[in-house]
Amino acid sequence: MTDTISHPVFAINHMVAPSLGIRGFFQLAKSLGLSDVEIRNDLEGNAIIDGTPAAEVRSLAAEAGVHIATINALQRVNEWTPEREQQAIELADYAKEAGAAALVLVPVNDGSGRQDGERQENLRTALKALKPILEARGLIGFVEPLGFEICSLRSKREAAEAIGAIGGQGRFKLVHDTFHHHLAGEPELFPALTGLVHISGVTDPEVTVSDMRDPHRVLVDADDRLGNVDQIQALLDQGYTGLFSFEPFAAEVQRLENPSAAISASMDTIKAGLI
């Protein structure tokens, strides 16, 4: 009897090449042999923020033969207000029409809403209100804890408990971000509840973990300090079968003239490191 080896299924987030238009971004995915992409609503001069109709995004994705895994993201999700509800409805409507499968849900990350008791209640309130919005449109909500010390949701366990408390299993899943997982220092992985993995590396040898920020996030290479390969291996070993989506924020990555070659090299590095 031979052991079967699980291989990661890669995807790309538009943050890998934010200067590419949506058509160029979809073509980048195809050049890498990838079928799944994440689009964003926070890129100036690009879809969605430039007013590109959702139907056009859907058509361009179909033309390129790619699937829109997520729209990233509904921000400050755990600060539920009438304004947030309206934002959620508009983004969910756009996601459905664009053919996206899920919305990424990002917590407040400015130092507020962190009190014990308050933050758990805030998240439950938001997820309970979001559940029917997502259900009506056939969407999944991907809750993404952030490892920054000022964040109102650092713990995947707290997110998992909130999902359970509102009966949200099946409608909500977790995002495992390799950068934020390292920063949070939370050992548990929750593979069965994980719907998406974001991958990026940090290679700067000087920056301390508590000082790591988005501009330090590069493509994973041999000098990675975050243990990406170990995290990916552990998730695969524990039965995770979803996407591993590249989400670097470093300017030097986003300005690459040939992002396809760099992303391909990173995929090769990761695959070579896996057992």
Side-chain angles (χ1 to χ4, degrees):
M1 180 176 166
T2 58
D3 292 332
T4 57
I5 300 172
S6 296
H7 295 288
V9 179
F10 291 113
I12 52 173
N13 186 296
H14 204 159
M15 199 52 81
V16 298
S19 63
L20 283 180
I22 198 79
R23 184 194 298 271
F25 172 61
F26 292 161
Q27 291 301 327
L28 173 62
K30 289 310 290 182
S31 77
L32 289 160
L34 304 179
S35 301
D36 296 274
V37 295
E38 293 185 272
I39 62 174
R40 303 185 68 93
N41 64 335
D42 59 356
L43 298 180
E44 288 293 341
N46 214 325
I48 303 165
I49 208 170
D50 68 353
T52 302
E56 184 178 337
V57 172
R58 186 185 196 122
S59 175
L60 289 169
E63 180 186 307
V66 296
H67 170 249
I68 301 173
T70 79
I71 294 180
N72 192 333
L74 179 64
Q75 299 285 343
R76 302 181 74 88
V77 66
N78 53 343
E79 181 183 71
W80 197 255
T81 61
E83 178 191 24
R84 195 77 60 248
E85 181 177 32
Q86 189 58 37
Q87 289 170 348
I89 289 168
E90 289 174 7
L91 195 56
D93 282 341
Y94 193 100
K96 181 185 178 186
E97 193 175 348
L103 290 181
V104 175
L105 310 171
V106 176
V108 173
N109 188 43
D110 62 7
S112 64
R114 294 168 57 213
Q115 292 296 320
D116 195 31
E118 174 195 14
R119 65 176 190 269
Q120 294 92 339
E121 182 60 32
N122 285 347
L123 182 59
R124 288 194 296 269
T125 297
L127 296 186
K128 188 174 182 181
L130 258 173
K131 189 167 176 259
I133 295 172
L134 297 174
E135 281 175 344
R137 295 157 182 84
L139 299 169
I140 302 296
F142 286 162
V143 183
E144 181 166 25
L146 306 181
F148 299 127
E149 291 169 12
I150 64 166
C151 188
S152 61
L153 177 62
R154 300 186 74 202
S155 164
K156 279 182 288 184
R157 172 160 290 286
E158 281 191 9
E161 288 171 350
I163 291 169
I166 63 113
Q169 301 92 329
R171 188 56 54 191
F172 294 99
K173 293 184 180 295
L174 301 177
V175 177
H176 175 107
D177 184 297
T178 58
F179 172 80
H180 289 296
H181 181 75
H182 187 82
L183 267 59
E186 185 180 32
E188 289 179 273
L189 293 178
F190 302 97
L193 195 56
T194 299
L196 175 69
V197 177
H198 281 154
I199 54 177
S200 60
V202 173
T203 57
D204 183 338
E206 305 297 329
V207 65
T208 64
V209 172
S210 62
D211 286 335
M212 288 178 181
R213 296 292 182 268
D214 281 342
H216 295 109
R217 298 172 65 176
V218 295
L219 295 169
V220 178
D221 65 15
D223 297 321
D224 175 43
R225 293 177 53 194
L226 304 181
N228 268 274
V229 170
D230 289 342
Q231 291 187 48
I232 292 167
Q233 185 73 67
L235 284 159
L236 291 171
D237 287 348
Q238 293 181 35
Y240 174 73
T241 58
L243 299 172
F244 293 87
S245 181
F246 286 91
E247 192 192 35
F249 285 79
E252 63 263 35
V253 176
Q254 296 177 352
R255 288 195 297 257
L256 286 170
E257 286 188 22
N258 188 354
S260 182
I263 297 165
S264 182
S266 187
M267 290 194 292
D268 288 343
T269 296
I270 292 167
K271 286 187 282 192
L274 297 171
I275 298 167

